[in-house]
Amino acid sequence: MTEPKKKIRLGDLLVHNDVISEQQLMTALREQKNTGRKLGRTLIDLGYVDEDNLLNILSRQLEVPFVQLRHYRFNNELVKKLPEAMARRFRSIVLDEQGGELLIGMADPFDIFAYDELVRILKQPVRQAVVSESELLNTLDLVYRRTDEIASLAEELEDELGDDAFDLADLSAESESAEAPVVKLLQTLFEDAVQARSSDIHIEPDETLVRIRQRVDGVLQEQVMKEKKVNAALVLRLKLMAGLNISEKRLPQDGRFNIRVKGRSIDVRVSTMPVQYGESVVMRLLDQSKGMLNLDGTGMPENLLTRFRQMIRKPHGMILVTGPTGSGKTTTLYGALNELNRPEVKIITAEDPVEYRLPRITQVQVNPKIGLEFASVLRAALRQDPDVILVGEMRDRETVEIGLRAAMTGHLVLSTLHTNDSISSAMRLIDMGAEPFLVASSLLGVVAQRLVRRVCDNCAEAYEPTEQERIWLDSFHLNPLDLEAGFVKGRGCYQCSNTGYRGRVGVYELLEMNEPMLDALRQKDVAAFTRAARLGDVYRPLGQCAMDYALRGVTTLEEVARVAATSEADFGGSRTKTLADLAVEEGMA
C-alpha cells in the first residue's frame, strides 16, 4: 500500500521553487488567518499562483500523478465504490484500478485523516493522485447521478403504499403513511435534475410502469420505474405543493411552486393532464438564482446585437421574436427588458405565465378563466401610461390589432409569435386579420431564433463530413479557407452523458424593415416581400448563422441540418434543397 507522503510546508515549497515571493507568502498567510481557507486555495484566489502550476509542483514533490479530470474518462462502477457523501467529505474520487490497487484523486493529498478513512472504507490498497479541487467539485455533480437512488426510493414507496395506492387521493396533506417516501423521492428527483442541468421533468404513467424523462439541452433522457403505483403518490404530492385541486383528475391543471435545491432557488411550473393510465405531469424548472440574463449572454452575433439594440431603443414600434416552443424567445425578450429597465421608463408586461420576477416592472399574469386575456390586459395597460409593453404572445386578431395601434401611438411593443422564420412573421400578422397598412406602419423588425446544442469541450474531436454531407454543404457556397479549419463532433463522455453535446447556444436571423419590404406589405405581395427581405442589409438565414458556429467548432453539422430544415434523409436525395429554396417555399406557403 502506498503511504501518504510526509507533510511539508506548502508555502516554503513554493518559495523554494520561485513560484511566489516571501512577501506574497506573508500576505497569503494573513489572508488565510482571516478566512480560514487552506493556503493553496488562498494563493490561487489572490492570483499569486495558477492552480495547474501549483498542482504540477505538488505532483513532482510528492511523486504522485497529476490528473486533469476534465479530460478523464471515468468508469462508473469504480466511481461508485466510494459513496458520494464520502467523496464530497474527503474531496476524493476513484479514478482507476490496477492489480487490486485503487488510484484515488485527492484535492488535498496531505490530508492524512482522509487517506486513512478512504483505505478503511474501500478495503483495498490505495494510491494517490493530485486533482484540482474546482474540477473535482464539478465532476462529482456529473458522475454521481441520482438514478439509482430514485429507483431505490420508488421501490421503497411502492412497499409503503401496498395495495391501496389508488386511494391516495383521499389522504390529507398531513398524512404520514406515504409522505416521507414521496418527499424523499421528489427531493432526489429535483436534485438529479439540477445536477444534470435539466430544463423539464416529465412524469408519464404507462400500463405497467412510470417513465421519468428529463430534458437536457433540448433532448429527453429517460428513466423507467416498474413501480407503477408511485405515480398517483407523486401527482398527489405535486398538486398539493402547487396548490391544485387534488380531487380533480379529469381536467388539466396548471400551477407553480418554489423550492431550494443545493442552495439554488428553483421556480417550478407544473402542468397536469389526464391520460390513459392516470395523470401525466410536466414540470418546467427555472433557476431564479442565476440572475437575469442580459443580451450579451444570449449568443447573438455582434452585428445583429448592435442592430437589435438600436431597434429596442426606438421610442415606438413593434418588435417580434419568433420561433417554436423552447427556442429561447422569452430569454431574448427578458434580456431586452433588462436593458430598457431604468427609473425613467415605465414597463408593463402581460405574460402567461410570469417566468421571472423583474424589479421596477409591472408584470401581469394572464388568467383566461376569469376573462383576463392578453387583449384585455393590453387594453388596460395602455391606460397606465407605459413607455414599453411586453405581450407574451400574439395569439389572436384582437391582441394583434391593439398591439399594432399601441405601437403607432408612441409605445414600444415587444412580443412573440409562433412562426418558422422571420420572413413569414409579417405576413402571419396579416393572415391573423390585421390591416396591411397597420403592420407596415408599426412593425420595426423580427428576430427569429433557435437553440443548437454545443459540442462537448471535453470529448470534441475532428469530424470528416460524409459524401452526402459534402453535397449538401455545396448549397452554402462556403469559402474554401473557412473549410480548412474543418468540423468537430463529440464522441461522448461522462460530462455530456455520452451525448457529445453539453449546453446550447442561440442562432438568430434578424429582419429589419425597409421601404421595399413595407411597400410589399401594403400590397400583400408575398413574393415581393420575400425578395426584398433576402436582400436586406443584415438578413442571413438561420442555417447560415448555425453554419458559422459549425465552422468555429461550436456545434455540429447535424445541428446545422436540423436548424436549416434539412433532415439527414435529404442528404442522400437526388436533389438537395438549398436554403434559398426553403426560404422561397416558406415565403410562398
Side-chain angles (χ1 to χ4, degrees):
M1 183 185 302
T2 305
E3 294 293 335
K5 300 295 180 180
K6 181 181 178 181
K7 182 78 172 180
I8 61 175
R9 291 165 62 94
L10 177 61
D12 293 340
L13 176 63
L14 296 176
V15 171
H16 177 73
N17 284 275
D18 295 324
V19 176
I20 61 173
S21 65
E22 287 279 1
Q23 184 178 356
Q24 287 175 325
L25 176 59
M26 292 299 105
T27 303
L29 289 171
R30 287 193 296 271
E31 180 69 16
Q32 181 195 21
K33 187 176 180 180
N34 293 331
T35 62
R37 291 176 298 184
K38 293 183 178 181
L39 179 59
R41 176 51 51 188
T42 302
L43 288 166
I44 293 168
D45 291 343
L46 289 172
Y48 291 160
V49 61
D50 177 74
E51 186 173 21
D52 283 356
N53 189 22
L54 171 62
L55 296 177
N56 273 312
I57 291 171
L58 286 177
S59 172
R60 291 194 300 270
Q61 180 68 25
L62 299 174
E63 298 178 359
V64 298
F66 167 42
V67 177
Q68 290 188 315
L69 297 181
R70 61 179 175 271
H71 299 307
Y72 198 83
R73 295 183 70 84
F74 289 89
N75 181 325
N76 287 334
E77 295 302 318
L78 285 178
V79 168
K80 291 176 183 177
K81 284 192 172 187
L82 183 63
E84 181 183 1
M86 297 296 103
R88 294 186 182 278
R89 179 181 175 187
F90 299 125
R91 296 290 196 267
S92 305
I93 189 168
V94 181
L95 300 173
D96 197 10
E97 181 177 23
Q98 291 183 352
E101 185 179 56
L102 292 174
L103 178 65
I104 306 292
M106 298 183 67
D108 183 6
F110 296 135
D111 192 336
I112 306 298
F113 172 76
Y115 176 85
D116 290 340
E117 283 295 298
L118 290 171
V119 172
R120 183 184 65 80
I121 294 167
L122 295 168
K123 296 180 174 60
Q124 283 182 248
V126 168
R127 184 162 56 92
Q128 292 171 296
V130 182
V131 297
S132 161
E133 183 175 10
S134 57
E135 280 189 12
L136 176 65
L137 293 177
N138 290 332
T139 301
L140 292 178
D141 284 342
L142 295 167
V143 296
Y144 283 102
R145 289 291 302 275
R146 304 302 180 87
T147 51
D148 291 342
E149 190 175 348
I150 290 171
S152 174
L153 287 168
E155 188 175 345
E156 179 185 344
L157 179 57
E158 175 90 349
D159 294 339
E160 288 276 350
L161 296 176
D163 296 327
D164 298 324
F166 59 91
D167 291 326
L168 258 179
D170 298 329
L171 298 177
S172 68
E174 290 77 25
S175 174
E176 297 294 335
S177 61
E179 181 171 326
V182 171
V183 171
K184 287 180 183 176
L185 178 56
L186 283 174
Q187 181 180 0
T188 305
L189 183 60
F190 283 122
E191 287 178 355
D192 184 62
V194 170
Q195 284 184 199
R197 302 171 294 105
S198 302
S199 60
D200 303 85
I201 302 175
H202 298 238
I203 302 175
E204 303 166 340
D206 209 330
E207 184 176 8
T208 58
L209 49 85
V210 177
R211 288 186 175 86
I212 294 182
R213 300 200 281 177
Q214 298 181 13
R215 190 176 295 280
V216 181
D217 294 337
V219 178
L220 288 171
Q221 299 178 0
E222 182 176 273
Q223 180 180 1
V224 175
M225 298 191 303
K226 295 181 180 179
E227 297 79 13
K228 181 188 181 302
K229 287 184 285 186
V230 306
N231 184 72
L234 288 174
V235 173
L236 171 66
R237 184 64 195 178
L238 289 169
K239 281 185 174 180
L240 289 170
M241 293 169 69
L244 304 180
N245 184 353
I246 62 173
S247 63
E248 180 56 77
K249 297 182 178 181
R250 302 165 299 168
L251 296 173
Q253 297 187 69
D254 296 303
R256 69 192 303 163
F257 58 87
N258 189 274
I259 56 171
R260 292 195 66 82
V261 181
K262 293 182 172 291
R264 302 183 192 177
S265 176
I266 307 294
D267 201 39
V268 184
R269 281 169 32 197
V270 181
S271 172
T272 69
M273 184 170 65
V275 294
Q276 186 175 9
Y277 296 108
E279 286 184 275
S280 171
V281 179
V282 175
M283 293 177 283
R284 169 69 59 88
L285 309 182
L286 300 169
D287 192 346
Q288 300 284 350
S289 62
K290 287 183 177 179
M292 182 49 54
L293 182 69
N294 56 34
L295 286 177
D296 291 318
T298 60
M300 192 178 293
E302 191 62 36
N303 62 324
L304 296 191
L305 186 57
T306 300
R307 301 295 285 265
F308 184 63
R309 280 193 164 119
Q310 292 172 354
M311 206 184 293
I312 65 174
R313 284 184 169 82
K314 292 186 178 180
H316 57 82
M318 177 180 284
I319 300 171
L320 295 175
V321 180
T322 75
T325 302
S327 60
K329 300 186 299 295
T330 304
T331 301
T332 299
L333 288 176
Y334 275 138
L337 289 185
N338 199 35
E339 295 210 358
L340 296 171
N341 189 7
R342 302 186 303 274
E344 65 270 21
V345 178
K346 170 77 171 183
I347 302 176
I348 299 178
T349 74
E351 304 173 65
D352 185 21
V354 175
E355 295 194 9
Y356 291 94
R357 279 79 170 182
L358 304 172
R360 201 188 292 118
I361 293 179
T362 304
Q363 296 176 272
V364 181
Q365 168 75 56
V366 170
N367 188 352
K369 293 179 182 177
I370 60 172
L372 193 63
E373 301 279 2
F374 280 119
S376 56
V377 174
L378 186 52
R379 194 179 293 109
L382 291 173
R383 296 193 288 269
Q384 296 268 317
D385 188 29
D387 298 297
V388 180
I389 302 172
L390 183 144
V391 184
E393 184 184 346
M394 291 292 172
R395 289 182 179 172
D396 52 56
R397 175 178 178 175
E398 186 181 10
T399 306
V400 170
E401 288 193 343
I402 297 172
L404 289 170
R405 293 186 185 278
M408 286 181 65
T409 56
H411 305 88
L412 181 66
V413 180
L414 308 176
S415 188
T416 69
L417 196 64
H418 286 284
T419 54
N420 290 327
D421 58 21
S422 58
I423 292 178
S424 59
S425 300
M427 289 300 172
R428 173 67 179 144
L429 294 177
I430 296 174
D431 291 341
M432 292 173 72
E435 293 292 339
F437 79 90
L438 265 181
V439 179
S441 302
S442 306
L443 191 61
L444 295 175
V446 183
V447 176
Q449 66 182 83
R450 298 286 191 280
L451 293 176
V452 297
R453 291 180 289 172
R454 289 179 178 268
V455 175
C456 175
D457 292 335
N458 191 54
C459 62
E461 58 186 16
Y463 174 72
E464 190 67 27
T466 64
E467 190 61 34
Q468 289 80 9
E469 287 171 335
R470 289 186 181 280
I471 296 171
W472 173 70
L473 283 170
D474 289 340
S475 66
F476 286 87
H477 307 294
L478 299 174
N479 188 327
L481 293 176
D482 292 335
L483 288 172
E484 285 182 7
F487 300 98
V488 297
K489 191 170 186 177
R491 67 175 180 273
C493 67
Y494 78 97
Q495 287 197 11
C496 59
S497 301
N498 292 313
T499 62
Y501 298 98
R502 181 168 168 79
R504 289 189 290 178
V505 64
V507 294
Y508 301 85
E509 71 180 29
L510 175 62
L511 187 66
E512 198 169 1
M513 295 296 112
N514 57 31
E515 280 307 316
M517 281 187 266
L518 296 177
D519 288 340
L521 276 179
R522 295 185 187 99
Q523 302 294 327
K524 294 182 66 173
D525 189 336
V526 178
F529 181 80
T530 302
R531 285 194 300 271
R534 281 188 289 172
L535 294 173
D537 293 338
V538 294
Y539 176 76
R540 294 182 79 231
L542 285 166
Q544 293 283 358
C545 183
M547 182 58 73
D548 291 342
Y549 280 125
L551 291 169
R552 286 159 46 190
V554 175
T555 191
T556 63
L557 289 178
E558 179 184 4
E559 288 292 284
V560 177
R562 182 173 61 82
V563 168
T566 307
S567 68
E568 291 184 6
D570 292 326
F571 288 162
S574 58
R575 178 180 180 272
T576 304
K577 290 183 179 180
T578 66
L579 290 175
D581 293 332
L582 291 168
V584 171
E585 289 175 7
E586 291 171 0
M588 296 294 290

